[in-house]
Amino acid sequence: MTTAEKTLRLTLGFALAAGLSACAGARPVREAAPEPAGHGGHASEPFAPSPFAVPLDAATLAKLPRETVQAAAHGESLDCEGVALDALLRATGALPADKLPGPQLARYVLVGARDGYRVLYSLAELDPGTGKRRALLVDRCNGAALGEEDGPLRLIAPEDARPARWVRQVKSITVVTAP
């Protein structure tokens, strides 16, 4: 082995040892958790864990005020009724009762359908104090309960330019903190 090869091996050995030493002393990445809001050093109120499965059972939905919405999708006019998504999120603890604190701005709502279709809303856009995006989880349209093709629950966002984020056959609603 030549002197140059010995020097190269020695240099690589030191570099490897230094790299392993640095890795051993590195702090692990922390899981997302509630943190201070950063405004005046006050801690934010605790919020639901991530991911948080929002209950969609009849008892939970029956406790919430019902609203009506008129909307159109694919040339069809709809008069529907159900519960506001933000009211459901508040009632289940997924959205705070008061002003949305800074750490919660990194949370989103994932709505899944039986057929695998999924859409996403930011928690901030659904919060009336921040984004005011209206979305309703409906169970009745045009005077009748939703049929198998659309129900038993359907999410409608009447302000969206097109109904791409409307979800038929809602199966799950999950609130997640972005990584």
Side-chain angles (χ1 to χ4, degrees), residues 52 63 120:
F52 176 77
K63 293 177 189 174
L120 182 106

Side-chain angles (χ1 to χ4, degrees), residues 107-122:
R107 298 185 68 150
Y108 60 89
V109 179
L110 183 63
V111 181
R114 279 195 316 248
D115 65 359
Y117 189 69
R118 299 183 312 164
V119 300
L120 182 106
Y121 292 86
S122 74

Side-chain angles (χ1 to χ4, degrees), residues 73-74 76 78 113-115 145-155 166-170:
H74 311 292
E76 179 185 3
L78 299 170
R114 279 195 316 248
D115 65 359
L146 295 178
E148 183 69 22
E149 183 180 324
D150 292 326
L153 298 171
R154 182 177 188 182
L155 186 73
W166 293 26
V167 181
R168 295 176 181 185
Q169 305 170 342
V170 172

Side-chain angles (χ1 to χ4, degrees), residues 52-66 82-94 137 139 153 173:
F52 176 77
V54 176
L56 298 176
D57 59 281
T60 300
L61 297 174
K63 293 177 189 174
L64 300 172
R66 295 189 58 86
V83 299
L85 182 55
D86 69 298
L88 173 62
L89 296 175
R90 283 192 201 294
T92 59
L137 190 62
D139 58 1
L153 298 171
I173 297 177

Side-chain angles (χ1 to χ4, degrees), residues 2-88:
T2 67
T3 305
E5 290 173 326
K6 287 180 185 177
T7 303
L8 179 60
R9 276 186 161 195
L10 188 58
T11 303
L12 289 174
F14 282 129
L16 179 61
L20 290 175
S21 175
C23 287
R27 290 182 169 172
V29 175
R30 210 172 58 134
E31 291 296 318
E35 295 182 11
H39 301 286
H42 300 289
S44 63
E45 68 180 82
F47 51 92
S50 178
F52 176 77
V54 176
L56 298 176
D57 59 281
T60 300
L61 297 174
K63 293 177 189 174
L64 300 172
R66 295 189 58 86
E67 295 185 20
T68 59
V69 62
Q70 293 179 337
H74 311 292
E76 179 185 3
S77 293
L78 299 170
D79 285 317
C80 299
E81 63 180 82
V83 299
L85 182 55
D86 69 298
L88 173 62

